[in-house]
Amino acid sequence: MAEIRVEKLVKRFGTVRAIDGLSFEVASGETFGLLGPNGAGKTTTMRVLSGLSPVDSGEVSIAGIDALRDPRAVRCVVGVVTQQDGLDDDLNVRQNLEVFGFLAGLSLRVARRHTREVLDFFGLASRSEDAIDELSGGMKRRLAIARALMIQPRAVILDEPTTGLDPHSRNRVWEELAQLKARGVTILMSTHYMDEAATLCDRIAILDRGRILALDPPLELIEKHTRGDVQELRVTTASHSSVRAELERAGIRWREVGAVFRLNREADPAAVRSIAGTRSEVRRANLEDVFLNLTGRELRDE
Amino acid sequence: MTKRPNQAPAPPMTRPSFLRGIVGIWYRHALALTRVWKVATTWFVIEPACVLLAMGLGVGRLIGTLPTHGEYASFVTPGMIVGMAMYHAIFECSWGAFQRIQSHSVETLLTTPIGIVQLAAGEILWGATRSALSTIAVGGLALGLGWLDPSAFPGVLLVSMLVGVEFGAIGLCFAATAQTTSTLSLIFTIVATPLFFFSGSFFPMEILPRALQIAAWIAPLSPGVHLARGFATHDLHTTHLAAAVYLVLLGAASFPVAVWLLRRKLLR
Ligand SMILES: Nc1ncnc2c1ncn2[C@@H]1O[C@H](COP(=O)(O)OP(=O)(O)O)[C@@H](O)[C@H]1O
Ligand SMILES: [Mg+2]
């Protein structure tokens, strides 16, 4: 059964269509990723689903609740982690969680118990009396996720859970999300990291300008929208302009990404190898390539 | 977290009551205040004590007794108390709320099952609580100095809380519309400070020129000052009833505006 069902959602900011006819379903227990560059509409979508943003049209049902009519009922059973941590600097770690639990309807006694449990789960028990500004960025992010679990949600909505985190903290978040999934919690998350989406998500919707361009499991996306391998030319001693000239002469189309020329699908390997001062490499296609092929732009482009 | 079998989520939590949201916001503020109670004591006691003592002992010594209003210290005390109550509510609901909107912690509160109405009501209730705490501190000092009659205290406290509700709601309106801290500070320069000095706290309004008198009577702090002074002097007339009605109306009218502005700001 679909835990989250979004149908023909449209949301405008002035003349900008931040969400432009979005439809998708997330099955119970599934981890579903919204992958897209900045401005794709990920945050707007998640805010709408959380009842924090009104829409122009469309339907949203979450846990069997009409989310547009009764957003507060949704927030009783769904944990929401917004893009900003939104921690309360005037309270300590434990109080942040207890106040949240109390507002969510827990008695103070139960809120205290859940606080201990989620702090244990996130390995933050020893920090419970600390002030928020004593925490590292990674801990703050994880505390924000812990907060959403205070209500023992059946689904969580996470907006860019690891953006800005160091690799170690990212890995911890990934492990914790994997554990949540193992418990049967439905996860809807957004990210602009393709490796994160590929690692965590059962299915990924590639989002751009408020629309879904493709929706499949990660490997299928790569199979369907790339040729499997990508040929790249790494510049070693040549100048970029001479490489460009050579490629043009050989009739090969390319795209420059830093020190690398990503070559068009049909590039002839022999012609490529003959370009002096470069090294040709072939690697597996990834979700970035899917995005590039679908939009002609990089996932990291603004 | 309690263990539960895969794919079998707990039944939906029952929805918390409407009051829970308001009380929860209030609880958040109370916790935050107790964490800084040492500093907070200075806001509630030292600053207002300075103003009260300077007016009562300093200016009061010079003036002695007013022709129609008795001893100056007793005249100025209820005005000071209500003025301080206003400052506390405004500070909490404009400056405090603005900071918490900017830091996104208000957005977090809205990820619980509460709505904007409860958020606003909780904030304002806390603003009124701070007004009451201020009145307990300043009023306590005035009681000790003999400038306020103990039997007048409950009435003055009630007025302070009504003033707290009113200016809490007005403060929220500013918090919800200000783009920067400098536009936010307008609430102090164009609202709080003029009201503090021209609402009959320091001198009887009758001595103002006629045109200014009307403006001063309409000013939203005036009914609070008038009413508190009525309680302080045990001299209540129909004008005090009118002031009470006006005061309540101001609070009741500001609340929906604050809710509307907050909704526009937070739920976009
Ligand atoms: N409050 C807002 N007012 C006006 N435009 C907005 C607002 N929030 C988002 N947008 C616009 O909506 C689009 C989608 O933004 P957003 O949902 O934040 O994207 P993402 O989270 O994928 O980066 C962008 O074009 C953005 O500029
Ligand atoms: Mg975003």
Side-chain angles (χ1 to χ4, degrees):
Chain A
M1 197 201 81
E3 182 77 352
I4 300 175
R5 198 167 48 78
V6 175
E7 244 176 88
K8 301 196 186 95
L9 209 59
V10 175
K11 159 96 191 168
R12 288 187 211 91
F13 289 110
T15 55
V16 178
R17 282 172 169 252
I19 307 178
D20 194 5
L22 209 59
S23 301
F24 63 89
E25 286 192 3
V26 183
S28 181
E30 186 179 26
T31 298
F32 188 96
L34 293 175
L35 179 67
N38 280 330
K42 304 182 295 294
T43 297
T44 308
T45 303
M46 302 197 131
R47 283 178 57 87
V48 166
L49 267 53
S50 316
L52 298 178
S53 190
V55 292
D56 293 299
S57 62
E59 279 174 40
V60 179
S61 134
I62 301 179
I65 302 161
D66 181 339
L68 301 181
R69 285 248 175 75
D70 197 358
R72 290 171 51 202
V74 170
R75 296 198 297 263
C76 290
V77 292
V78 174
V80 176
V81 181
T82 51
Q83 189 165 353
Q84 278 81 19
D85 298 331
L87 295 169
D88 195 331
D89 297 323
D90 298 333
L91 304 177
N92 67 25
V93 168
R94 174 179 55 79
Q95 291 168 332
N96 261 275
L97 299 177
E98 284 177 7
V99 166
F100 188 91
F102 186 74
L103 278 167
L106 306 178
S107 69
L108 275 180
R109 196 176 51 78
V110 175
R112 291 201 177 108
R113 200 182 76 224
H114 287 198
T115 297
R116 280 195 301 275
E117 286 163 359
V118 298
L119 285 177
D120 277 340
F121 179 75
F122 281 86
L124 289 169
S126 64
R127 313 303 293 254
S128 80
E129 299 306 309
D130 285 5
I132 296 306
D133 60 15
E134 295 172 60
L135 303 182
S136 69
M139 285 180 188
K140 286 184 188 172
R141 195 65 187 143
R142 290 170 46 241
L143 181 58
I145 301 173
R147 190 180 57 206
L149 301 185
M150 283 294 290
I151 58 169
Q152 302 187 331
R154 46 190 283 172
V156 288
I157 296 178
L158 301 126
D159 196 359
E160 301 199 9
T162 67
T163 297
L165 299 192
D166 60 88
H168 173 72
S169 305
R170 275 181 89 194
N171 273 319
R172 282 199 79 158
V173 171
W174 288 6
E175 278 165 28
E176 284 149 0
L177 293 181
Q179 284 187 51
L180 276 188
K181 178 180 169 55
R183 290 181 183 185
V185 176
T186 307
I187 299 175
L188 171 64
M189 58 181 285
S190 73
T191 181
H192 58 248
Y193 297 125
M194 56 96 191
D195 55 336
E196 177 162 291
T199 307
L200 293 177
C201 299
D202 298 309
R203 286 189 308 146
I204 295 168
I206 298 204
L207 199 66
D208 188 41
R209 296 179 179 154
R211 290 188 198 193
I212 291 180
L213 303 180
L215 196 173
D216 267 311
L219 291 180
E220 286 182 32
L221 280 175
I222 294 170
E223 278 165 19
K224 280 189 195 168
H225 302 282
T226 72
R227 289 211 318 187
D229 290 331
V230 177
Q231 189 164 25
E232 287 180 340
L233 207 56
R234 187 169 290 277
V235 179
T236 51
T237 56
S239 74
H240 279 236
S241 53
S242 68
V243 175
R244 278 182 213 122
E246 292 254 15
L247 286 171
E248 231 157 81
R249 205 169 312 134
I252 299 169
R253 284 189 297 142
W254 76 92
R255 188 180 173 86
E256 271 180 71
V257 189
V260 171
F261 288 74
R262 190 181 300 160
L263 304 183
N264 195 39
R265 303 173 184 205
E266 290 80 26
D268 168 21
V272 171
R273 269 195 300 277
S274 70
I275 299 177
T278 63
R279 252 176 53 195
S280 144
E281 295 168 352
V282 174
R283 62 161 173 81
R284 303 289 304 160
N286 60 34
L287 290 170
E288 305 246 16
D289 302 306
V290 174
F291 188 81
L292 178 70
N293 290 343
L294 287 170
T295 65
R297 289 178 294 124
E298 300 282 334
L299 197 47
R300 292 196 200 86
D301 286 354
E302 290 292 303
Chain B
M1 264 164 292
T2 50
K3 312 268 178 309
R4 54 178 138 78
N6 285 358
Q7 311 297 334
M13 261 175 65
T14 47
R15 181 201 289 257
S17 72
F18 185 79
L19 264 184
R20 170 61 70 107
I22 300 174
V23 174
I25 300 288
W26 189 91
Y27 175 57
R28 178 263 164 221
H29 289 297
L31 277 180
L33 184 67
T34 50
R35 282 191 82 219
V36 294
W37 69 269
K38 282 178 196 149
V39 184
T41 308
T42 64
W43 313 330
F44 287 109
V45 177
I46 297 184
E47 222 179 88
C50 288
V51 184
L52 188 66
L53 291 175
M55 297 313 296
L57 287 181
V59 181
R61 193 65 52 86
L62 283 178
I63 297 176
T65 307
L66 296 174
T68 49
H69 292 274
E71 201 191 340
Y72 184 72
S74 304
F75 171 83
V76 86
T77 294
M80 299 301 313
I81 290 177
V82 170
M84 290 292 164
M86 169 190 75
Y87 265 113
H88 274 272
I90 285 189
F91 190 82
E92 188 65 48
C93 292
S94 67
W95 185 259
F98 181 78
Q99 297 295 333
R100 290 183 303 107
I101 290 171
Q102 296 294 92
S103 76
H104 298 278
S105 71
V106 169
E107 185 180 26
T108 297
L109 299 175
L110 292 173
T111 66
T112 69
I114 74 163
I116 294 282
V117 174
Q118 292 154 295
L119 174 74
E123 296 291 336
I124 291 167
L125 184 65
W126 178 254
T129 304
R130 265 192 73 162
S131 299
L133 289 174
S134 153
T135 294
I136 289 167
V138 188
L141 179 65
L143 288 180
L145 291 164
W147 297 345
L148 185 67
D149 187 27
S151 62
F153 192 75
V156 173
L157 183 62
L158 177 68
V159 174
S160 297
M161 287 166 73
L162 290 175
V163 166
V165 168
E166 177 198 357
F167 285 96
I170 294 172
L172 275 185
C173 295
F174 278 77
T177 43
Q179 299 295 326
T180 61
T181 44
S182 48
T183 50
L184 182 68
S185 70
L186 285 177
I187 191 172
F188 293 102
T189 45
I190 69 170
V191 179
T193 305
L195 288 180
F196 189 66
F197 288 105
F198 290 97
S199 297
S201 301
F202 295 94
F203 49 84
M205 287 208 215
E206 304 92 87
I207 67 173
L208 285 174
R210 188 107 204 120
L212 267 184
Q213 257 187 55
I214 294 169
W217 277 116
I218 294 171
L221 183 60
S222 304
V225 172
H226 187 62
L227 199 54
R229 192 165 285 139
F231 279 113
T233 55
H234 302 289
D235 186 16
L236 293 164
H237 320 269
T238 47
T239 60
H240 294 99
L241 182 64
V245 171
Y246 183 41
L247 181 57
V248 170
L249 279 180
L250 284 170
S254 312
F255 182 71
V257 179
V259 168
W260 182 73
L261 291 172
L262 277 175
R263 179 166 284 134
R264 206 184 60 166
K265 169 91 179 175
L266 297 169
L267 304 185
R268 284 181 304 194

